[in-house]
Amino acid sequence: MPIDCKHIRNFSIIAHIDHGKSTLADRLLEWTGTVEKRQLKEQMLDDMELERQRGITIKARAVRMEYRHQGELYELNLIDTPGHVDFHYEVSRSLACCEGAVLLVDAFQGVEAQTVANAFAATNQNLAIVPVINKVDLVHARVDDVLAEMEQSLSIDPTEVIKASAKAGIGIDELLGAIVERVPPPAGDPTAVLRAMIFDSHYDSYRGAITYVRIVDGTIKKGQKIRFLETASTHEVLEIGQFVPQRRACEELAAGQVGYLVCNIKDVKQVHIGDTVTIPGDDGAKAMPGYKPPQRMVYCGLYPSEGENFEELRDALEKLSINDPSFEFAPESSEALGFGFRCGFLGLLHMEIIQQRLEKEDDLDLVQTAPNVTYQILKSDGTTIEITNPQDVPETGQIEEFRQPIVRTNFLSPVEHIGPIMQLCTDRRGIYLKTEYLSPTRAMLTFDLPLAEVIYDLHDRLKSVTRGYGTMDYELVGYFPADLVRLDILVGGKQVDALSIICDRRDADRRGRSIVKKLRGEIDRHMFEIAIQAAIGTKVIARETISAMRKNVTAKCYGGDISRKKKLWAKQKEGKKRMKSIGSVDIPQKAFMAVLETGADRQQQ
């Protein structure tokens, strides 16, 4: 029996990383009796091994709960979201399926950069916001200060804020009541033509693609034929159900409900996140506006360390891309590494997570090239091209203008750390915009910074200069002209394409020297001398030499004529020369990452 729309509430929990989102979700599952106490474990919704290890949420998850309020039974659909800046796209997808959001703020740490970004994202989608201060039972909780910060930065009325502790179970009943009262029911018509939105999916090796849907209008039943509008494909619904939090089959889902479909879809390309599901034929509903396509900001090459694993890597990437549409890949080849893929990610943590998932879930051994951001080049013939690989940069004569992505970065920190943050941003060619005081002790600084400077080590440096109290959030402003060059690395006279980077001309000298110095320590000695050079075009700007391993060929010559020794040395030299012309240099994986680490050397100079 489908539930009436007015008894359904769809909501997300949004918060900065580590403010207790997953713990609150666990507590709601326990409080509503969705999961029995004996089955409850920490981070119940973080079912990916990597999420549990790192203590962060990576994938959005959906779960259905039942709650009785003032004698009436309500269906609550919680769509759990990640908190890290790299996964902001996952958050935006989840919010599109909800009518309300629980905004969680830590009672000690207060309003953080991601709190502000997520709160604005929810407000822009006209969601009802239920503000909560979590961890009020901590000895050092600053509840009154945090209330003032929320009022100052987010315009939230302090009287509406619920004081809770997810760990101790304080204020959970009050929160559930507030969700029922403040979050509006979904505005859907169960008798209209079927219209549902795909907001997520994952690949099951036994059942094929499992599609997560939010029913907007109409009803969907088991055995019914449905049509995916974007791929124009028709499927039969083999199983339909909801997450509680494991999959539980049911006979039908009606307007306003959230659940999953299994249609025996074996081709992962047939499921598109943001696609509309309706009935086949001319009577079907029109497509809903999907999601804005995610902007990949960081690119790197992924290569199998064993060349023959290329097909396995392709299959693993295809499976991952259905589960995570914010990442993309395309085949590429490199002289140094063979065949592999150029992959695009939302940020550096996203890249690290994808690489770890490939290595753990698919047992692949990967070589990863140094990451770079996307650039734009205006060529002298008037065309504009996007560069995701330093190898694609045209000759200097063809470049009219080189543009780099600039991001508006907000830093939240205690006021005593304003000086070090300003120094940090000035060193990275940041443009200062403004300072806002959230309270007498905390401030928000805004800078425009080149994205390339942000993604490498800015977050780590921020944590160290603010003793762990600073947080940051950024959004792309656009592409702006800059004096950029391609820095090539030559090993033994041959250019290693996978080591090329794009950097600011003023930085090129320092980066070049730093890279060749690092590579000298990473590459083993060979039987012949190896020159490592950094060059811009044909001009070499730095060089290091790895001397050859030498055998003492004159060990058997005791005294006697020096010409005998000279002959042996000349013969050895000839052999080394021949070896150098045919020998190849082995470059280890660590050497590719050495290129990345040189960004941190700025502070030691």
Side-chain angles (χ1 to χ4, degrees):
M1 175 75 184
I3 192 162
D4 187 352
C5 264
K6 66 174 193 285
H7 287 116
I8 298 175
R9 299 289 183 272
N10 296 323
F11 70 100
S12 308
I13 303 175
I14 52 175
H16 188 81
I17 194 164
D18 269 349
H19 279 203
K21 222 170 19 289
S22 297
T23 311
L24 181 61
D26 292 348
R27 210 50 60 242
L28 293 176
L29 290 174
E30 183 190 344
W31 222 259
T32 55
T34 308
V35 178
E36 288 177 32
K37 188 128 190 159
R38 62 193 172 86
Q39 292 177 319
L40 199 70
K41 57 185 180 187
E42 282 191 13
Q43 289 175 264
M44 190 77 197
L45 296 183
D46 294 347
D47 53 357
M48 205 190 294
E49 188 191 338
L50 207 56
E51 290 180 311
R52 306 187 70 80
Q53 278 176 1
R54 297 182 73 132
I56 59 172
T57 304
I58 295 165
K59 283 296 296 170
R61 276 289 312 271
V63 63
R64 171 188 179 272
M65 301 175 283
E66 285 184 351
Y67 179 66
R68 197 167 284 283
H69 181 68
Q70 294 175 353
E72 301 214 19
L73 188 66
Y74 289 86
E75 179 181 303
L76 308 180
N77 290 307
L78 161 63
I79 298 172
D80 189 28
T81 62
H84 195 279
V85 58
D86 278 13
F87 303 116
H88 191 66
Y89 176 69
E90 286 274 335
V91 177
S92 69
R93 289 214 325 259
S94 300
L95 295 181
C97 293
C98 300
E99 282 75 38
V102 172
L103 179 68
L104 202 59
V105 180
D106 188 302
F108 172 62
Q109 292 175 332
V111 174
E112 301 279 31
Q114 239 357 70
T115 318
V116 177
N118 287 339
F120 285 145
T123 313
N124 291 343
Q125 298 205 19
N126 299 321
L127 300 191
I129 290 182
V130 181
V132 178
I133 291 185
N134 191 23
K135 309 185 188 179
V136 291
D137 56 328
L138 290 181
V139 181
H140 44 257
R142 314 178 293 119
V143 178
D144 293 339
D145 293 352
V146 173
L147 282 171
E149 283 177 23
M150 290 170 80
E151 187 175 15
Q152 171 76 25
S153 58
L154 304 168
S155 308
I156 286 171
D157 182 350
T159 58
E160 291 185 357
V161 180
I162 294 163
K163 299 175 184 70
S165 167
K167 207 156 203 171
I170 299 166
I172 303 298
D173 251 339
E174 193 188 339
L175 172 58
L176 286 163
I179 290 168
V180 169
E181 285 162 16
R182 297 189 209 171
V183 176
D189 180 1
T191 57
V193 175
L194 171 66
R195 213 161 51 117
M197 185 184 240
I198 300 175
F199 69 90
D200 207 348
S201 61
H202 77 270
Y203 192 80
D204 183 298
S205 38
Y206 300 106
R207 309 295 310 264
I210 292 173
T211 314
Y212 296 34
V213 289
R214 152 78 202 263
I215 315 293
V216 178
D217 284 317
T219 308
I220 191 165
K221 295 183 175 149
K222 187 180 172 183
Q224 179 182 345
K225 287 265 195 295
I226 56 165
R227 184 172 177 77
F228 291 2
L229 290 183
E230 199 175 315
T231 51
S233 55
T234 304
H235 306 278
E236 185 185 340
V237 180
L238 301 180
E239 186 185 308
I240 187 170
Q242 290 181 304
F243 298 98
V244 288
Q246 268 56 52
R247 294 201 302 264
R248 187 172 76 193
C250 63
E251 286 305 307
E252 64 179 56
L253 288 176
Q257 291 187 295
V258 175
Y260 69 89
L261 306 174
V262 177
C263 302
N264 199 17
I265 300 171
K266 290 286 186 257
D267 182 4
V268 293
K269 294 189 186 73
Q270 288 188 1
V271 179
H272 285 261
I273 308 293
D275 193 2
T276 303
V277 178
T278 185
I279 56 170
D282 300 333
D283 300 331
K286 294 278 178 286
M288 291 182 283
Y291 300 108
K292 272 196 308 191
Q295 279 185 306
R296 285 96 186 175
M297 302 311 298
V298 178
Y299 282 81
C300 81
L302 286 180
Y303 293 82
S305 55
E306 310 293 329
E308 62 270 18
N309 290 348
F310 178 74
E311 285 303 325
E312 282 174 43
L313 178 57
R314 184 201 293 277
D315 292 345
L317 287 169
E318 277 187 354
K319 255 189 275 178
L320 253 185
S321 67
I322 182 182
N323 193 230
D324 184 354
S326 52
F327 126 86
E328 65 176 7
F329 63 96
E332 71 166 3
S333 64
S334 150
E335 279 182 38
L337 299 168
F339 292 103
F341 292 91
R342 190 93 197 145
C343 302
F345 310 94
L346 300 175
L348 230 57
L349 176 72
H350 188 210
M351 178 186 86
E352 204 184 310
I353 296 289
I354 293 283
Q355 188 188 359
Q356 287 184 359
R357 285 184 70 184
L358 288 168
E359 287 177 344
K360 280 198 161 92
E361 294 170 18
D362 297 280
D363 198 21
L364 291 167
D365 195 7
L366 300 173
V367 173
Q368 175 195 335
T369 66
N372 63 275
V373 300
T374 316
Y375 294 92
Q376 282 183 356
I377 289 179
L378 175 65
K379 293 172 75 176
S380 33
D381 62 2
T383 55
T384 305
I385 55 170
E386 264 201 3
I387 300 290
T388 58
N389 187 342
Q391 285 312 300
D392 301 337
V393 175
E395 294 302 314
T396 318
Q398 297 177 25
I399 300 174
E400 186 72 33
E401 198 173 72
F402 214 139
R403 298 174 190 150
Q404 65 179 354
I406 298 290
V407 288
R408 186 146 297 159
T409 315
N410 294 321
F411 298 94
L412 267 105
S413 153
V415 289
E416 62 265 28
H417 302 303
I418 287 178
I421 292 175
M422 286 195 145
Q423 184 62 52
L424 193 67
C425 295
T426 314
D427 288 348
R428 285 166 167 69
R429 284 183 265 289
I431 298 165
Y432 170 75
L433 296 176
K434 61 179 178 183
T435 303
E436 280 178 47
Y437 286 87
L438 305 186
S439 71
T441 56
R442 282 165 62 80
M444 181 159 87
L445 283 86
T446 308
F447 275 86
D448 275 355
L449 284 155
L451 180 64
E453 300 283 359
V454 173
I455 63 158
Y456 288 140
D457 64 334
L458 185 65
H459 192 259
D460 296 343
R461 297 291 311 154
L462 173 72
K463 287 292 181 197
S464 67
V465 301
T466 61
R467 303 205 182 107
Y469 288 113
T471 57
M472 60 179 266
D473 172 64
Y474 57 84
E475 61 175 346
L476 184 69
V477 180
Y479 288 84
F480 295 90
D483 189 11
L484 301 169
V485 291
R486 184 179 84 190
L487 185 65
D488 291 322
I489 304 297
L490 289 80
V491 176
K494 289 181 187 162
Q495 185 192 330
V496 182
D497 49 7
L499 289 176
S500 295
I501 58 166
I502 295 170
C503 66
D504 194 288
R505 193 183 295 276
R506 289 163 292 182
D507 258 359
D509 207 49
R510 180 190 60 78
R511 293 279 303 260
R513 285 175 199 284
S514 185
I515 290 169
V516 294
K517 212 176 200 166
K518 276 240 171 73
L519 289 177
R520 186 183 171 200
E522 297 293 353
I523 296 173
D524 294 332
R525 284 172 71 186
H526 286 54
M527 294 304 287
F528 48 89
E529 184 183 272
I530 303 167
I532 303 170
Q533 297 161 308
I536 298 171
T538 53
K539 182 186 170 192
V540 174
I541 58 168
R543 172 182 168 130
E544 290 277 342
T545 307
I546 300 173
S547 54
M549 288 195 278
R550 250 181 111 163
K551 184 182 175 190
N552 187 358
V553 288
T554 60
K556 291 179 183 171
C557 301
Y558 299 106
D561 187 5
I562 188 71
S563 60
R564 170 82 181 124
K565 288 185 178 180
K566 279 184 176 173
K567 210 180 255 181
L568 287 167
W569 283 329
K571 196 173 173 188
Q572 184 184 33
K573 197 173 175 185
E574 204 56 48
K576 296 260 184 221
K577 202 169 161 188
R578 194 173 71 249
M579 196 182 281
K580 192 172 179 177
S581 67
I582 59 164
S584 63
V585 182
D586 291 326
I587 304 173
Q589 156 77 30
K590 277 193 298 188
F592 293 101
M593 294 321 287
V595 178
L596 173 62
E597 287 159 15
T598 54
D601 294 351
R602 185 188 284 104
Q603 279 69 33
Q604 278 83 52
Q605 302 263 316

